[in-house]
Every structure is written in C-alpha cells, then in structure tokens.
Amino acid sequence: MPESDDRDLHLPSTNSLHQPHLVRSLGLMDVVMVGIAGMIGGSIFVLTGSAIGLAGTAVIIVFILNAIITTFTAMGYAELGSAMPEAGGGYLWIRQGLPRPNAFISGWLAWFAHIVAGSLYAVGFGSFMSSLLDMMNITSTALFSFIHIDKLVAVLSIIAFMYINIRGASETGKAGTIVTIIQLGTIFLLIVGGIWSISNNPQHWEINFSDFMPMGIAGIIAAMGLTFIAFEGYEIIVQTGEEIKNPKRNIPRAIFISLAIVVVMYCLVALVTIGATYISDTTPSWKFIGDNGELGIMKAANTFIPYGSFIVLIGGLVSTLAALNATTFSSARVALAMGRHYNLPHRLSSIHIKNKTPHVATIISCIVMTIMAYMLPLNQIAIAAGVIFLLLFTQVNVAVITIRRMYGDKLDYGYKTPLFPVIPIIGIFLNLGLAVYLLITEPLSWGITALWVLVGFVLYRMYTFKKEIEHYAPIITSQGDLTRKDFRILLPYTPENPDRLIRYAIKFAQENDGEINVLRVITVPAQTPLSAGVAFSETARKSFGPLEKIIDEESIMNHYLVRISHDPTEAILATITEQKIDLLITDFETLRRNKKLQTLSTCNIIAIKTTGGDNLLFTANKKEENIIQNNNLITTKNLVILYDERHQSEIIPDIIKWLGKNSLFKIIILHINTNTDEIQNDSLLGQTKNYEDISIIKYLEDFEYSSFEISNIYLSKETEINSEKISDLILSALNTLQPDLIVTNTNIGKFNFLTNLHLQILLNQLSCPIIITKDFAIPVVHGAKLWLSTLFKYRLLK
C-alpha cells in the first residue's frame, strides 16, 4: 500500500434557505434612465469636444459607427439578460459559459472598472462644482489647508448615493430618473439653442461643414477609440436583472431604447455645436472646439446661446450625478454576485432585511470608490477602464455562443441574437480590434489592466478558488501517495462498472510517467445541504478497493478523492483545476450528454466507446499475436486513425506510441481530405498526393514506426457540408479496412462526433472499440484557428 494522505472533512456552514432577496421594483422607464445615465455621464460634454478635435465635422460618423459596433455586443447582452436575469451580468454569464478562472477574472475586472468609472464621475462632479463656484466668484481653491473642495464634494457625493442605494432599488430608480430627466433637459436646451442659432445664421452651417472630413479616416478611427466606451451602459442595465419587473421583456427593450436615445443625443449635440458656432470665416468651428479639448463644448455654447457655459456646466453637474448613481448601483451588484459564488467574501452577498438591497456590497464598493476618488491619480488609472470593458465584452460574446450551444432551448429567451453565431463573432473581433488600438495608442492602459489581472489571479489561486471549491464541491475524503507526478490523469468513478476504463488510464500513465486520480462524486439534491452527503463517505471510500488493487499491481502512483456536490459536473471541473489534471478519461456517452463538461473542461479528454472487444489492447501476447521475420514486423490487428489535418490532436500521437509499443498494431491512416479545389467528386481510398505534408506521417517517421499505411477519402465541396454523406463514405472505407480499433478526434471536417447525429449513428454501426480524443481549446478560439487554417490552405498551422 502507498503512503496515505487522509484529509478530514471541512464543510462550509449551511445558510438558511430563507434568506432575504432582491425585489423587483424597477420598471422599464427606471432601467432606461439607468442606461442613459451610464452612457451619457459627463462624456457628452467632455469627450465630444476632444472627439471633434480628432475627427472634425465627421464626428457624427464616429458616433454612428460606434453605435453600429456596440450593437453587436448589445444584442448579446439583450439575449443573455432576458434569459438569465441575475445580478452580476457579464460576470455571471462568463461563469456559465467559459472555464475557470475566466469568471473570477472578468468579475474582478468588471468590479474594478465600475468603481473606477464611479470615482471618475464623482471627481468630475467635484470639478464641475468647483468651476461653478469659481464662476460665482466663490473661493474654491481649498476649504482647509489640506482638503480641496473638489475632492470633498466628490467624497460627499459618493456617500450620498451610497445612502440612496442602500435605502432601496426603488429609491435608487426614482433618484436616477429625476436626475436623468434634468440631464436630458439641459441637453435638450443646448440642442434647441443650437438649432435656433443655425436657423437664424444658415451661412455659418455652410462655412463650418464645407470640409466634412478634415482629418481623414485616421481621425475617425482615433475618435472612435476615444468615445467607444461611452456606449457601455448596457453592462449597467443588465445588473438590474433581479430588480426589474418582467426582465425577459424589459431588459432587451431597455438596452435598445437607451442606446438609441444616447446615440441620437450625441449626434445632435455634436451637430448643433459645430453648426451653430461661428468664430470667423477662416476658422472653422470644429477647429475652435477641438483646440479647447474637454472645454470645447462649454466654450462653443457661449457663442450661440446666452449663458451657454452655465447651461453646459449645470448639464455636466447633473450628468455626472446620474452616472455616479448608475455606477454605484452596478458596482454593488457585481460585488453581490461575486460574493454569492464565493469569488469575493461571502458577506458581500448579504441582503438588507428591510430594504432588500445589497448593503454590504454597496458600502464596500463605495469605500473603495472614495479612496480612489480622493487619493489615487485617476487620470492614469481610468484609461484602463476602456480596455477592461472591451475585454469583458469580448468574453461575453464568447459566452453568448457557448451558452446557446450548451443549453439550446432550455433557456427561456425574450430576445435572440439574429444570424447566430455571426453577430457575436463580429462583436469579438470588433472589441479585440479596439483593445489592440488602445494598446498602440495608450500602452499604459494595458499595463494597468495586466497588473490588476495579475493581482486578481494571485488572489484567486491563494484564496478565492479554495473558498469556492469548499462551498460547491468539498472533498470529504482523500487518500493515496504523498508524492505527485507532473502528468496527471483523472478517472471519474462509475459504480455500475468501476474498472471498465481503468486499463486505459494505466496505459496512459505508464506511457507518460504519470499518476491516476480516481474521483467519486456523491450527488446531493439541490434543496438538501451538502453536509447530508457525509453519511456516505465511508461507503465511497471502500468502493475504491477493486480499482486500488488493479492500480497497485501496475505500480502506478495514485490518489482517490470523494467529493459531495449538488452538481457532479461541477465537482469534476473543480477537481481538474484543483489537481492540475492533464487528461480526463471518460465514457463517450457520458461526455456526449454533458455539454457543460465538453465546454468548460480545461484539460485534454479521451472518450471511450467500447463494445467489449478492447481486451485485445491489454492482453495481447506479442509471441502469439506477432511474428518477427527478418527484422520485419508482421501484425495481425488493424488500428485505423481517422485523420483530418485541420483538427490535429496532441493526444493521438501518444495513443500511437502506446499501441505501437505494446500491441504492435498495423497502423492505417484514413486521411479525410477537404477544401481541395480540384476535387469535383467524392472518392474512397485514393492515393496520397502530398505524402510529406501530413503532419501525423512525420510523427510516425520520427518514431521510426514503419508498419503503417495511408488511405484517403476525398470530399467534394458539396459533400463537405453534408454530414450524412461524410458518414456514409467513412463507413464504407472502414468496412473495407476492417479495423480492430479506431482512433479519431472529435472533429471531422465541419462536424463533431459529440454533437452531430449522423456521426453518432456511424459510431453505433461499428463493432470495434473507438477512442475519441478532445484537445483542450478555449471556446471559439478553435473555430477561429480552423477558419485561418482554411483561409491559408492549411499552411498556417504547419
């Protein structure tokens, strides 16, 4: 027996099932106002001037293009917000649709970005207030020798909205609605004044718009990068998921209504400000506004409307207050969601018994916001917020794809993104493109983002992950060798046939000098505390006996784990991450039915479809099964490898190496040829034209394995998109080759054995064991890689 490492049970405390919850008290109008407040903020008066300086009169095109770009991501938010309306928004969906630690990192980044945005709005409000006091000839340089009035006002504004947000979502919505209506009123006044000035002086319009794109395409792109982040209000809207009435209907509506209003507001403010401002016949208005940068709109307003600067100043004051209210609300909901899932201290998930608000999360978020507003150089930190939101939006677009594929029609959607998955894929590329643009123009933004990610990752590995696992899938017993191997295999225990897959695990462990980890999950009903599963721990421990005997006979290092969980898949995923598993070995049908495991696993997977004939893999006697004549190996078993060059697997060479050493199979490569322009008709078992270009052949030659053959299936373009025809061709080829064992990747051409019905029927028609490999790949990345390989005729991956 190996040395034992027995661990005692450490279960989290079970909270009462009757915890207070958030209440649905917000109507459509309330949430629309929250979205408008978050998107307009003070940016409409501050960023617009700078954007005009970069793009000139073409700034209107800038806002329209940004609206089009952001709509791709907004549709994803509308879809998931209607189907999964919970506090947390993007963090929650990434948790559902992407593997660890994406959820924690995205939540960590989102919380930081919302807090930074709130700090900026508070400081902006303080600055506007300071300017207002200066305009009124009231000294505002310092209240005391060490406290500046702008900083004091910023802190007081954060405290005020913290109180309002703690009092209740209804109070928050009412306050936000009132402030946003006043905000829209000042903008409307500016627009009306501008239109009145233009109607009285039409010649100014002709002068100012005589050169429509003075800075060219480069100026438009630069202005887009500057102003894009102003349209991220839908991230705030979805944070109301648990507090909005009829979220299935109202969240998509709120997103699109608020986005449409904001785009129109931005375009009209830019249009009338440029059109109504007159400096001279030789100085276009866009030049004057751009030269004044952030103060451009304020100074331009003075030229065409009485008290223009005062109106813009009041608008800025109200706008920053509205945005501060929105970001206070949203940052608290992100912290609440992360606390619920133990990604932040669980105390943050507390709901006030009377007010039904996340009071602890609100207080902590506002404390951090206050520190940032008062002490830190926000101008340097804030540039990272744009990168953070772009990365968050990228992950959400990926989650839109994976969640739709994982859950299908099981979710009740109020809105579905059209042209799926084209729209979210476009959103991914657009967001990444803008993020790369910021890397070029503002490299410090990426530096700050990377530093915050690093801090979060360290926190996750040292604290958060352990707390999360202790709550969702705690280990109740563990035994096995104290020392560990670098290569680690996980084998989920199946009580019905516990030793069916263990032979495969032993062979892979021997080939890679690895260890075997056997996991048994005790599943507890969702409404029952996990502690109820402890009663079965001793029975579970004893069930490892037969496997332990088999593994010990082979002198393989081993560990045995028993977890309790409401979700057995969550326990497997937790073990993969915690134990740093390299390879999961499971039954094909188990993997096929478990889309969550397919999508969220972070290791390579081997799925076995057995017909009971796999004893030949482990009991073959070399003297009886093989004859050596003149140093040439004559084999009696056929190993057929279904091979598509576009879907290369790092696991298949290991399988060839194992079988080549121990069973002395004759290897037959059945090469699936697709995307070949000269192919007009399907053909079977043709000759290989480019023998040297097949990467697996190179491996066999390096391995000095001489007993192999190559056969081909050539697919026409018509057949390439028809899974039934592909399956029939493969079946015909396999019937000719008479395999004793088949090895394949999950992907063949455009189709997948785990999801395609015709390929699954093909497997059921075969009478030999089948080993199906699935290499770990970040969701969507494999598809992008495949697309690039097709684009460059396979050359990119070689």
Side-chain angles (χ1 to χ4, degrees):
M1 284 290 294
E3 296 179 75
S4 179
D5 171 26
D6 293 326
R7 247 180 279 178
D8 294 329
L9 170 67
H10 296 285
L11 282 175
S13 60
T14 303
N15 296 322
S16 170
L17 296 176
H18 304 287
Q19 292 288 336
H21 300 284
L22 300 174
V23 294
R24 298 195 181 279
S25 58
L26 300 176
L28 175 62
M29 179 63 69
D30 296 320
V31 179
V32 167
M33 291 301 174
V34 167
I36 291 174
M39 283 187 267
I40 289 182
S43 302
I44 197 167
F45 301 112
V46 177
L47 287 184
T48 302
S50 300
I52 290 172
L54 291 171
T57 50
V59 71
I60 296 142
I61 294 179
V62 168
F63 291 137
I64 294 173
L65 289 176
N66 271 341
I68 294 172
I69 291 173
T70 200
T71 299
F72 288 102
T73 299
M75 285 191 282
Y77 269 81
E79 173 174 323
L80 295 181
S82 70
M84 307 173 72
E86 294 184 37
Y91 156 76
L92 176 72
W93 307 328
I94 292 168
R95 180 180 179 82
Q96 293 291 329
L98 292 177
R100 290 183 175 93
N102 282 280
F104 172 80
I105 295 300
S106 67
W108 180 249
L109 288 173
W111 189 46
F112 177 75
H114 283 289
I115 288 176
V116 169
S119 302
L120 279 172
Y121 294 134
V123 171
F125 175 72
S127 298
F128 279 122
M129 181 62 72
S130 177
S131 299
L132 180 62
L133 293 176
D134 281 340
M135 192 177 293
M136 298 170 64
N137 295 321
I138 298 175
T139 303
S140 60
T141 55
L143 185 62
F144 302 105
S145 59
F146 57 92
I147 299 180
H148 291 278
I149 189 67
D150 55 346
K151 294 290 187 180
L152 178 61
V153 171
V155 171
L156 291 177
S157 64
I158 293 172
I159 294 173
F161 280 103
M162 178 185 73
Y163 173 75
I164 292 172
N165 275 265
I166 290 175
R167 282 296 304 272
S170 179
E171 284 77 4
T172 303
K174 289 176 182 177
T177 300
I178 292 170
V179 175
T180 305
I181 289 174
I182 297 172
Q183 172 193 42
L184 292 175
T186 59
I187 296 173
F188 181 74
L189 187 61
L190 180 68
I191 292 171
V192 170
I195 293 174
W196 177 81
S197 177
I198 292 170
S199 64
N200 290 328
N201 302 282
Q203 70 277 10
H204 295 169
W205 177 276
E206 296 176 3
I207 294 171
N208 291 328
F209 282 93
S210 59
D211 186 2
F212 184 66
M213 265 177 50
M215 308 303 290
I217 298 296
I220 290 177
I221 294 174
M224 287 176 64
L226 176 68
T227 59
F228 176 80
I229 204 61
F231 299 97
E232 51 79 30
Y234 41 80
E235 166 64 17
I236 298 175
I237 289 174
V238 297
Q239 301 298 338
T240 67
E242 292 180 48
E243 294 155 283
I244 183 174
K245 301 171 185 176
N246 193 1
K248 177 182 173 181
R249 172 178 175 270
N250 285 335
I251 286 182
R253 289 189 175 191
I255 288 175
F256 295 125
I257 291 172
S258 60
L259 188 58
I261 291 173
V262 167
V263 171
V264 171
M265 290 293 103
Y266 270 94
C267 288
L268 286 177
V269 167
L271 187 70
V272 301
T273 304
I274 295 172
T277 302
Y278 175 74
I279 305 302
S280 70
D281 289 345
T282 57
T283 304
S285 59
W286 69 264
K287 179 70 171 159
F288 170 77
I289 297 169
D291 288 344
N292 284 280
E294 296 176 351
L295 299 177
I297 298 296
M298 183 183 294
K299 293 194 174 184
N302 260 344
T303 67
F304 63 83
I305 186 172
Y307 305 104
S309 294
F310 182 76
I311 292 173
V312 171
L313 193 58
I314 295 299
L317 278 168
V318 178
S319 296
T320 50
L321 281 181
L324 175 59
N325 179 56
T327 50
T328 301
F329 179 93
S330 61
S331 61
R333 269 59 185 179
V334 175
L336 164 71
M338 295 185 72
R340 281 178 175 172
H341 296 287
Y342 295 83
N343 284 162
L344 287 177
H346 190 58
R347 179 66 175 159
L348 291 173
S349 66
S350 298
I351 305 295
H352 195 281
I353 296 176
K354 179 182 178 182
N355 298 329
K356 302 296 188 291
T357 56
H359 58 296
V360 177
T362 302
I363 291 170
I364 296 300
S365 297
C366 286
I367 289 174
V368 178
M369 197 181 295
T370 301
I371 294 172
M372 285 188 175
Y374 192 79
M375 298 180 62
L376 298 182
L378 277 179
N379 288 337
Q380 297 179 19
I381 296 176
I383 57 176
V387 175
I388 288 173
F389 278 119
L390 288 170
L391 295 179
L392 176 65
F393 295 161
T394 300
Q395 290 179 297
V396 168
N397 277 300
V398 176
V400 170
I401 297 172
T402 57
I403 288 175
R404 178 91 74 93
R405 288 176 173 172
M406 284 170 62
Y407 296 105
D409 294 331
K410 294 179 182 178
L411 293 177
D412 187 14
Y413 292 97
Y415 171 85
K416 272 192 171 184
T417 303
L419 301 177
F420 180 87
V422 175
I423 295 296
I425 289 174
I426 293 174
I428 291 169
F429 282 105
L430 290 174
N431 286 306
L432 285 178
L434 283 171
V436 171
Y437 167 79
L438 288 176
L439 173 62
I440 297 170
T441 58
E442 297 284 356
L444 181 60
S445 64
W446 274 84
I448 294 172
T449 302
L451 178 61
W452 189 249
V453 169
L454 180 62
V455 171
F457 187 76
V458 171
L459 176 64
Y460 177 78
R461 293 304 306 180
M462 295 182 64
Y463 173 78
T464 299
F465 176 69
K466 295 177 182 178
K467 289 295 182 182
E468 183 182 6
I469 297 307
E470 285 175 5
H471 177 76
Y472 287 107
I475 293 177
I476 58 173
T477 185
S478 173
Q479 65 185 44
D481 296 281
L482 292 175
T483 54
R484 306 300 301 267
K485 292 284 189 178
D486 291 335
F487 187 84
R488 300 175 184 181
I489 299 170
L490 177 63
L491 183 68
Y493 178 90
T494 53
E496 301 81 14
N497 197 353
D499 60 345
R500 189 167 61 86
L501 301 178
I502 192 64
R503 299 291 183 183
Y504 290 91
I506 290 173
K507 289 297 183 182
F508 274 95
Q510 290 172 336
E511 193 59 46
N512 294 279
D513 188 26
E515 66 178 41
I516 297 174
N517 297 266
V518 182
L519 171 68
R520 180 162 188 182
V521 181
I522 299 173
T523 305
V524 178
Q527 66 274 18
T528 305
L530 289 182
S531 55
V534 177
F536 302 95
S537 60
E538 187 59 29
T539 302
R541 184 198 295 261
K542 291 179 179 178
S543 67
F544 291 133
L547 296 183
E548 190 175 12
K549 181 179 179 181
I550 295 172
I551 296 174
D552 286 346
E553 288 176 352
E554 301 290 343
S555 300
I556 302 294
M557 197 168 289
N558 54 78
H559 300 87
Y560 303 91
L561 308 171
V562 178
R563 293 186 183 273
I564 51 177
S565 180
H566 297 304
D567 180 0
T569 303
E570 187 65 31
I572 294 173
L573 295 172
T575 304
I576 289 172
T577 303
E578 181 188 56
Q579 301 296 321
K580 300 178 181 177
I581 298 298
D582 298 287
L583 178 64
L584 170 68
I585 298 180
T586 186
D587 177 73
F588 173 76
E589 287 301 317
T590 300
L591 182 64
R592 182 186 66 81
R593 292 192 299 264
N594 195 332
K595 292 186 178 180
K596 182 176 179 179
L597 184 60
Q598 295 174 29
T599 305
L600 303 186
S601 175
T602 53
C603 68
N604 295 332
I605 301 176
I606 287 181
I608 310 297
K609 186 171 180 61
T610 179
T611 57
D614 36 3
N615 285 336
L616 65 91
L617 305 179
F618 313 108
T619 60
N621 185 300
K622 294 182 182 181
K623 292 182 180 179
E624 296 176 359
E625 297 286 325
N626 307 283
I627 304 172
I628 305 293
Q629 285 185 345
N630 300 323
N631 295 323
N632 292 322
L633 183 64
I634 301 175
T635 61
T636 58
K637 302 296 181 183
N638 292 329
L639 165 61
V640 175
I641 299 174
L642 290 181
Y643 187 74
D644 184 340
E645 185 73 12
R646 295 184 301 171
H647 303 288
Q648 300 181 41
S649 170
E650 66 179 41
I651 314 173
I652 289 180
D654 285 340
I655 297 175
I656 294 173
K657 189 176 179 182
W658 153 40
L659 294 173
K661 279 185 176 181
N662 299 315
S663 300
L664 300 178
F665 278 86
K666 180 176 75 174
I667 297 175
I668 303 172
I669 308 296
L670 182 54
H671 189 203
I672 313 294
N673 293 269
T674 58
N675 274 337
T676 305
D677 293 336
E678 61 268 20
I679 296 177
Q680 300 297 325
N681 299 302
D682 305 323
S683 59
L684 288 175
L685 309 180
Q687 297 298 315
T688 302
K689 295 183 179 180
N690 297 312
Y691 174 90
E692 68 280 359
D693 285 342
I694 303 178
S695 59
I696 198 168
I697 303 302
K698 298 176 183 177
Y699 171 82
L700 291 170
E701 291 174 340
D702 292 341
F703 186 53
E704 297 182 352
Y705 199 104
S706 58
S707 182
F708 66 87
E709 296 177 1
I710 306 170
S711 295
N712 289 273
I713 295 179
Y714 294 100
L715 304 180
S716 65
K717 290 183 178 180
E718 178 184 354
T719 301
E720 187 182 352
I721 59 174
N722 188 321
S723 62
E724 184 175 9
K725 288 186 177 180
I726 291 176
S727 300
D728 290 342
L729 284 170
I730 293 175
L731 181 61
S732 297
L734 292 175
N735 287 336
T736 301
L737 297 173
Q738 297 184 336
D740 297 288
L741 173 66
I742 297 171
V743 178
T744 181
N745 193 289
T746 51
N747 294 292
I748 293 294
K750 299 179 182 295
F751 305 102
N752 189 297
F753 279 105
L754 296 170
T755 58
N756 185 268
L757 178 61
H758 294 117
L759 289 180
Q760 291 166 11
I761 292 173
L762 164 66
L763 295 181
N764 292 330
Q765 292 176 305
L766 299 171
S767 59
C768 63
I770 306 162
I771 300 177
I772 300 160
T773 68
K774 183 181 185 300
D775 291 69
F776 167 65
I778 299 173
V780 179
V781 171
H782 175 74
K785 184 179 177 182
L786 177 60
W787 179 79
L788 288 173
S789 70
T790 302
L791 182 65
F792 291 102
K793 302 286 185 180
Y794 305 127
R795 297 293 180 180
L796 190 65
L797 300 179
K798 293 183 180 180

